[in-house]
Amino acid sequence: EDKVVQSPLSLVVHEGDTVTLNCSYEVTNFRSLLWYKQEKKAPTFLFMLTSSGIEKKSGRLSSILDKKELFSILNITATQTGDSAVYLCAVDWGTGKLIFGQGTTLQVKP
Amino acid sequence: GAVVSQHPSRVICKSGTSVKIECRSLDFQATTMFWYRQFPKQSLMLMATSNEGSKATYEQGVEKDKFLINHASLTLSTLTVTSAHPEDSSFYICSAPDRNRYEQYFGPGTRLTVT
């Protein structure tokens, strides 16, 4: 059965901390892995990863994919309270359909 | 950038009634759109794939007679929740992939509450 598993499910940190969110997957057809941020509305796109070992960066966020070990990580450095959200990992089967992980709820305290 | 809209953003209806949710791609054509459902504190679950000009394909466990999908044009898909019950209360989100299907554009979602 195709599945995407995220860990941890929830995380509480203080401003300035660095966090690493994990996403592992088992899918029969893999096209890309995507990270989204969700704050009480529809998810907003963060990254799309298709190749192993190539880090993608956007400000304090970065992500990398390991297609051999079937996982990805999302790093957030110097966290801010505005980073508090649910972070979703999803895998695209190649048809456009996405399988989502359970999400990681991140709370950043001042 | 590409934008997908949904209407309404929030709806409250009585048990037994039907509710229609619209999903529109505003500046691109989408031959395929996806409908997801998200219950509180849970992740998004794919319900069905909406195909322009043909029948929708439903994921396992989703009742096609209850969740009617019509992809009327290249920019519009509708989801009708028929004979809604309180357990159908959820956040419904549509998405549309770009032509190369390398990125999904999500609508803002519709929060349905059935009383």
Side-chain angles (χ1 to χ4, degrees):
Chain A
E1 182 185 344
D2 295 330
K3 60 181 179 182
V4 177
V5 178
Q6 291 185 245
S7 65
L9 295 182
S10 65
L11 192 56
V12 180
V13 300
H14 287 93
E15 275 192 314
D17 289 349
T18 293
V19 298
T20 297
L21 309 183
N22 304 293
C23 176
S24 63
Y25 61 93
E26 292 179 30
V27 295
T28 50
N29 292 303
F30 176 90
R31 183 170 207 172
S32 62
L33 186 143
L34 303 101
W35 284 97
Y36 292 89
K37 178 181 182 182
Q38 187 175 29
E39 300 170 272
K40 295 183 179 179
K41 51 190 179 187
T44 54
F45 174 79
L46 294 176
F47 297 110
M48 182 180 72
L49 305 160
T50 56
S51 301
S52 274
I54 299 174
E55 184 183 51
K56 293 213 171 180
K57 285 181 70 73
S58 176
R60 296 176 293 104
L61 278 65
S62 64
S63 184
I64 197 163
L65 173 68
D66 185 329
K67 292 171 73 173
K68 183 179 178 183
E69 300 297 329
L70 307 183
F71 79 91
S72 173
I73 59 172
L74 174 69
N75 279 320
I76 308 175
T77 59
T79 51
Q80 302 170 358
T81 55
D83 295 327
S84 296
V86 176
Y87 290 84
L88 297 168
C89 169
V91 171
D92 184 345
W93 292 358
T95 61
K97 295 201 294 188
L98 300 181
I99 307 172
F100 281 87
Q102 321 95 300
T104 294
T105 300
L106 173 65
Q107 183 184 359
V108 181
K109 292 186 173 181
Chain B
V3 178
V4 174
S5 70
Q6 274 185 248
H7 177 80
S9 58
R10 185 182 293 267
V11 58
I12 300 172
C13 70
K14 292 188 175 180
S15 189
T17 61
S18 295
V19 174
K20 180 185 283 188
I21 303 170
E22 293 185 349
C23 176
R24 291 181 186 274
S25 57
L26 297 184
D27 58 0
F28 69 104
Q29 293 180 336
T31 55
T32 302
M33 292 183 178
F34 300 98
W35 287 95
Y36 295 85
R37 179 167 55 182
Q38 186 176 33
F39 291 109
K41 299 192 184 299
Q42 294 187 26
S43 193
L44 279 75
M45 294 295 293
L46 179 66
M47 298 176 65
T49 303
S50 175
N51 304 297
E52 191 272 335
S54 64
K55 291 183 179 179
T57 52
Y58 292 81
E59 296 301 303
Q60 192 173 10
V62 178
E63 299 174 59
K64 61 181 179 181
D65 294 331
K66 180 170 181 62
F67 299 98
L68 302 179
I69 291 173
N70 182 27
H71 202 131
S73 73
L74 288 171
T75 59
L76 173 64
S77 174
T78 60
L79 168 69
T80 301
V81 183
T82 63
S83 188
H85 289 104
E87 55 265 33
D88 298 323
S89 299
S90 187
F91 192 48
Y92 292 86
I93 307 173
C94 69
S95 74
D98 68 14
R99 288 181 185 274
N100 295 317
R101 298 186 173 174
Y102 270 76
E103 186 171 339
Q104 293 276 343
Y105 299 106
F106 282 91
T110 296
R111 191 163 300 281
L112 170 64
T113 303
V114 185
T115 61

